[in-house]
Amino acid sequence: MFDLHMPEPATGLSPEDVVLTGDRPTGPLHLGHLAGSLAARVAGQDICPHTVLVADLQALTDHAHDVDRVGAAVAEVMVDYAAVGLDPAKVRFCLQSDVPELAEITVLLLNLVSLERILRNPTVKAEVGQKGDRARNAGFAVYPASQAADILGFAATAVPVGRDQAPMLELASHLADQLAIRGCRLPVPRAVFPEGGSGRLPGFDSRKASKTLNNAIALGASDADIAAAVRRMVSDPSRRSSSDPGDPEKPVAFAYLRAFDPDRTGLADLEAAYRRGGVGDGDVKARAERVIRDLLGPIRERRAAAAGDRAALRDVLREGTASARDTAQQALDEIRACFGLSRRSA
Ligand code: TRP
């Protein structure tokens, strides 16, 4: 049941789909994750099988200098999942580093893509620009292949992700095609993007919302954190006075309202009034603050309950991972066969 205080996203899924999604555990999840993929998972878990991957190996590709942070974030991300309403009875949770089959699939897939193609990935390039030295190792450069291995390893047909992940899905479907030529029967996966707008929630400084840039609102944010973040949301600097006509695409507060305001008519009215002139940015921010508080209040409560029983979440992750290993082993057998590796020394 979808009971987040925000518009229910269209999932683009059918009951025949098999979904794999995941997150890098490098810190608490934030509103960008909620808008970009978590809400779609909460809606989708009632439609078809979901596996959610806690991608700690991928997290290491730019956090090898801070492995403690990744270790701690694994438990934290599980708490975030429970807090938004992902239900362990419906969703299989999996810890990437405990499924070595995925690493073997990665090594095999690397033989099916040219170095140029893998280094051309625009998302990876942007991330290297943003993260600097810690993203300059070879593991980071080829993480799209590891992500493709995740997707193929779970025989996923659909991957709900933010738009920044489009190049990853292009590579995964390219690799699935390459395997199919070699007789592999794994499905060719498709990306499922969030609907509406750019699909990407900006940080309060209007850059991409990210933990690294420290411009995102964490799911566990307190009311005081929310107020401070909303205060920092940038508006349109060229607009002189609240009586001037304005462009609702410009203030960051409107982007948050478009993502989360459950009252769509009220929001449309406010946008129209803003366009005509006479609506102050303070009013828009006040509404954004209220909407975010209403959204995060219940999440914070469920967060506290989940954080009180971490042992239960550890069990959920262990059991999910064991089941996921079986699935990944089957995919690995199929992929090994494409390379003539079935039982070579048996
Ligand atoms: N790249 C994703 C992120 O940055 C995490 C991820 C790892 C993932 N493996 C995946 C997402 C497979 C979807 C499918 O959050």
Side-chain angles (χ1 to χ4, degrees):
M1 190 190 51
F2 190 85
D3 69 349
L4 293 166
H5 289 239
M6 63 182 279
E8 179 167 348
T11 65
L13 298 171
S14 74
E16 292 74 43
D17 274 317
V18 174
V19 165
L20 184 266
T21 61
D23 302 282
R24 297 178 197 172
T26 56
L29 299 182
H30 54 67
L31 287 182
H33 294 109
L34 189 59
S37 65
L38 292 176
R41 298 178 201 174
V42 175
Q45 66 183 344
D46 288 317
I47 299 175
C48 67
H50 275 53
T51 301
V52 172
L53 188 71
V54 182
D56 60 341
L57 282 184
Q58 191 179 111
L60 288 179
T61 61
D62 64 343
H63 280 76
H65 63 289
D66 199 357
V67 298
D68 290 345
R69 179 184 174 122
V70 174
V74 169
E76 233 33 62
V77 165
M78 287 299 290
V79 172
D80 281 329
Y81 290 153
V84 297
L86 287 176
D87 180 353
K90 298 173 186 162
V91 173
R92 182 170 67 172
F93 295 95
C94 170
L95 185 64
Q96 188 184 30
S97 61
D98 277 345
V99 186
E101 290 76 10
L102 297 176
E104 188 171 346
I105 294 173
T106 304
V107 168
L108 292 172
L109 292 183
L110 281 169
N111 300 314
L112 297 179
V113 56
S114 72
L115 190 57
E116 290 73 26
R117 180 168 181 149
I118 205 151
L119 296 180
R120 214 188 294 133
N121 188 303
T123 299
V124 173
K125 280 190 182 168
E127 286 176 305
V128 172
Q130 193 189 84
K131 295 170 196 257
D133 280 347
R134 66 189 165 84
R136 278 212 179 79
N137 59 70
F140 192 84
V142 301
Y143 93 72
S146 141
Q147 186 156 329
D150 302 337
I151 294 167
L152 302 183
F154 291 111
T157 63
V159 185
V161 278
R163 288 202 187 264
D164 61 320
Q165 298 287 305
M168 311 302 160
L169 268 294
E170 263 165 49
L171 178 64
S173 57
H174 168 73
L175 289 168
D177 286 339
Q178 293 301 304
L179 288 173
I181 293 169
R182 291 161 180 256
C184 174
R185 290 155 305 181
L186 291 171
V188 178
R190 72 180 193 283
V192 183
F193 297 121
E195 288 204 328
S198 67
R200 176 185 285 185
L201 189 72
F204 21 88
D205 54 3
S206 91
R207 291 185 292 172
K208 179 186 173 183
S210 101
K211 289 168 282 214
T212 320
L213 297 173
N214 193 23
N215 63 354
I217 302 178
L219 296 179
S222 66
D223 283 348
D225 297 335
I226 296 169
V230 171
R231 231 177 288 123
R232 285 176 54 197
M233 285 182 180
V234 296
S235 304
D236 178 0
S238 66
R239 190 168 177 251
R240 292 280 159 84
S241 121
S242 57
S243 54
D244 290 348
D247 177 359
E249 292 301 319
K250 292 196 174 147
V252 165
F254 265 123
Y256 280 72
L257 288 171
R258 279 191 292 273
F260 300 120
D261 196 337
D263 174 10
R264 304 317 273 176
T265 323
L267 173 59
D269 291 347
L270 186 69
E271 287 190 311
Y274 191 87
R275 260 193 212 97
R276 285 194 301 271
V279 175
D281 286 295
D283 298 336
V284 182
K285 285 192 179 194
R287 185 178 174 111
E289 184 174 345
R290 176 175 52 75
V291 163
I292 297 170
R293 273 181 189 237
D294 290 351
L295 173 66
L296 290 185
I299 290 179
R300 197 183 306 129
E301 273 169 37
R302 277 195 298 233
R303 218 178 181 287
D309 196 357
R310 285 174 193 269
L313 288 179
R314 264 199 304 275
D315 289 345
V316 163
L317 187 57
R318 187 177 346 95
E319 283 161 25
T321 304
S323 150
R325 256 196 105 162
D326 287 343
T327 309
Q329 181 64 57
Q330 287 170 31
L332 175 58
D333 289 346
E334 182 88 19
I335 294 170
R336 282 178 65 107
C338 299
F339 289 91
L341 294 175
S342 19
R343 293 198 217 99
R344 211 173 247 183
S345 64

